[in-house]
Amino acid sequence: MKCIAAIDQGTQSTRVFIFDHNAQPIASHQEQFKQKYPKAGWSEHDPLVIWDSVKTCIAGAVAAAKTTAGEAIKVVGLGITNQRETTLVWSRSTGLPLYNAIVWLDNRTTGICHRLVHELSGGKDHFRPVTGLPISTYFSAYKYTWLRENVAEVAQAVASGDAMFGTIDSWLIYNLTGGTKGGVHVTDVTNASRTNFMDLATLSWHEPTLKLFQAPRSMMPRIVSNAEVYGHVSEGPLKGAPIAGCLGDQMAALLGQRAAPGEAKNTYGTGCFMLLNTGSQLVPSKHGLLTTLAYKLGPTAAPSYALEGSVAVAGLGISWLRDNLRIIDSADESEAIANLVSIRASGLSVLYVSLWVVAAVASFEQDIT
């Protein structure tokens, strides 16, 4: 039985789905993994734990699909969607990460961002005309800068040419295709658009920005479209399957919801994200939204763009109540408790749009019944 597989590597868990030839899901497997909070405002993931979770989910989903189908299955294509902006640097010679991945919502780079805002002529919006992005802790360039300035192993690897830079899509594709044994080093245009290194008009790394951040082009992944064969799975239950599609999670949701130009989607997961499809138009926002890639469905296809508004904390707040405060035992309990409380919120931390600052601005009026 021929099937398609999809990896959904998120901020708090990894999932793998298996679909039949009618695009109906026949099996899935999900694994949560530990969040690391070394300091207040810091958030990290162990890249090896993420990779292990992907392998576990692949094995579990394939086994479940065989049971459901009642016969052997053959995965003829694999797609990937992933948490965006989360940044890591690994060794070209060993294939091992040189530090934990710094998660998209981590704010340790606040000082770096403040420094650049004051040093650069364009202030907070210095990079917007090229990358579509303001200077913010959210994006990968600033996380890379922190790694280079604070982790000796990263600085040495960058200087020697041993460093490989990537977001989670790059890390997964590299390992799926063999790692140090011929692994492919690529990133798709949607994930690349969140690094603050990519020129939105040319869909290539912007050399002056790379130079400013001391990011050698040799360590950067090759930018590819969202729909082409990047390589083949080298081992495991999916051995030989072509990896034929990849999008950042919010762009995947926009495409999956079939939002046409002029239409928007809003999704609620770890955070909340609104994307409006602007089609072939690169639209600069006058109200603090991001200009970003929506998708590019093939190497020669024209790109589609989007405007995005982001709120960092949604479902993550529920996880915090469960894992840190321990006032609930499961996410499901939060609904029953919430129904006991009438809350009107006039602000939220962290609210990215439209000021793009990390600040606690929540105010609540409560009437506990």
Side-chain angles (χ1 to χ4, degrees):
M1 179 179 178
K2 292 183 178 180
C3 298
I4 297 290
I7 297 170
D8 176 7
Q9 203 302 295
T11 309
Q12 300 183 80
S13 72
T14 298
R15 298 184 294 178
V16 170
F17 291 86
I18 307 292
F19 299 88
D20 65 16
H21 66 284
N22 293 316
Q24 296 301 305
I26 60 172
S28 66
H29 190 89
Q30 181 173 14
E31 292 280 327
Q32 292 191 335
F33 53 89
K34 185 177 181 180
Q35 308 293 301
K36 293 177 175 288
Y37 303 111
K39 295 182 181 180
W42 291 28
S43 179
E44 298 177 359
H45 290 157
D46 184 335
L48 296 177
V49 169
I50 287 180
W51 173 228
D52 283 343
S53 74
V54 170
K55 291 187 288 185
T56 299
C57 287
I58 287 173
V62 169
K66 289 178 180 178
T67 300
T68 300
E71 59 180 298
I73 67 166
K74 179 178 176 58
V75 173
V76 296
L78 172 65
I80 298 172
T81 186
N82 61 283
Q83 53 170 312
R84 305 171 303 168
E85 297 97 17
T86 297
T87 302
L88 69 153
V89 178
W90 66 95
S91 166
R92 189 182 307 275
S93 56
T94 69
L96 296 175
L98 298 170
Y99 190 80
N100 283 332
I102 301 180
V103 180
W104 57 272
L105 50 76
D106 180 286
N107 65 18
R108 76 186 66 191
T109 59
T110 299
I112 292 169
C113 292
H114 285 167
R115 183 178 80 206
L116 289 171
V117 166
H118 289 97
E119 289 178 354
L120 298 175
S121 60
K124 182 175 290 187
D125 292 328
H126 181 84
F127 299 104
R128 272 193 188 266
V130 174
T131 70
L133 308 176
I135 294 175
S136 167
T137 61
Y138 193 17
F139 307 113
S140 303
Y142 312 99
K143 303 178 194 300
Y144 162 72
T145 300
W146 187 92
L147 288 167
R148 182 179 53 77
E149 292 181 350
N150 292 276
V151 181
E153 293 83 356
V154 171
Q156 291 164 6
V158 171
S160 69
D162 190 49
M164 300 181 79
F165 166 91
T167 43
I168 295 298
D169 59 313
S170 300
W171 173 244
L172 295 185
I173 294 171
Y174 172 77
N175 282 287
L176 284 163
T177 55
T180 56
K181 299 177 181 179
V184 178
H185 189 207
V186 296
T187 186
D188 78 85
V189 285
T190 63
N191 278 291
S193 74
R194 315 298 291 192
T195 62
N196 197 57
F197 289 136
M198 191 185 82
D199 185 326
L200 282 179
T202 65
L203 306 185
S204 61
W205 300 125
H206 186 243
E207 291 292 348
T209 302
L210 291 178
K211 184 177 180 180
L212 189 152
F213 283 95
Q214 299 180 46
R217 177 177 272 273
S218 60
M219 77 170 190
M220 303 299 291
R222 178 169 57 91
I223 299 174
V224 293
S225 77
N226 301 116
E228 60 182 279
V229 175
Y230 315 124
H232 293 77
V233 179
S234 64
E235 61 183 18
L238 300 184
K239 183 176 181 179
I243 305 171
C246 183
L247 297 95
D249 54 6
Q250 301 309 318
M251 289 77 167
L254 181 75
L255 184 62
Q257 294 292 331
R258 300 182 182 180
E263 295 182 336
K265 71 86 189 171
N266 204 42
T267 48
Y268 304 86
T270 300
C272 299
F273 302 91
M274 183 282 296
L275 272 77
L276 171 70
N277 188 340
T278 61
S280 60
Q281 291 185 292
L282 260 170
V283 180
S285 174
K286 298 178 181 179
H287 303 285
L289 297 174
L290 305 177
T291 304
T292 193
L293 244 292
Y295 45 81
K296 185 177 188 290
L297 299 181
T300 62
S304 291
Y305 295 94
L307 287 170
E308 176 176 336
S310 311
V311 176
V313 178
L316 184 64
I318 302 301
S319 298
W320 182 75
L321 295 176
R322 181 192 63 198
D323 300 334
N324 295 75
L325 288 189
R326 299 181 181 177
I327 62 175
I328 57 175
D329 293 322
S330 69
D332 294 343
E333 287 183 37
S334 63
E335 182 177 5
I337 295 173
N339 286 333
L340 300 176
V341 182
S342 175
I343 300 178
R344 184 172 74 235
S346 57
L348 185 65
S349 174
V350 179
L351 180 62
Y352 282 137
V353 176
S354 61
L355 298 179
W356 290 95
V357 294
V358 178
V361 293
S363 64
F364 300 95
E365 292 182 16
Q366 302 187 14
D367 178 21
I368 300 177
T369 57

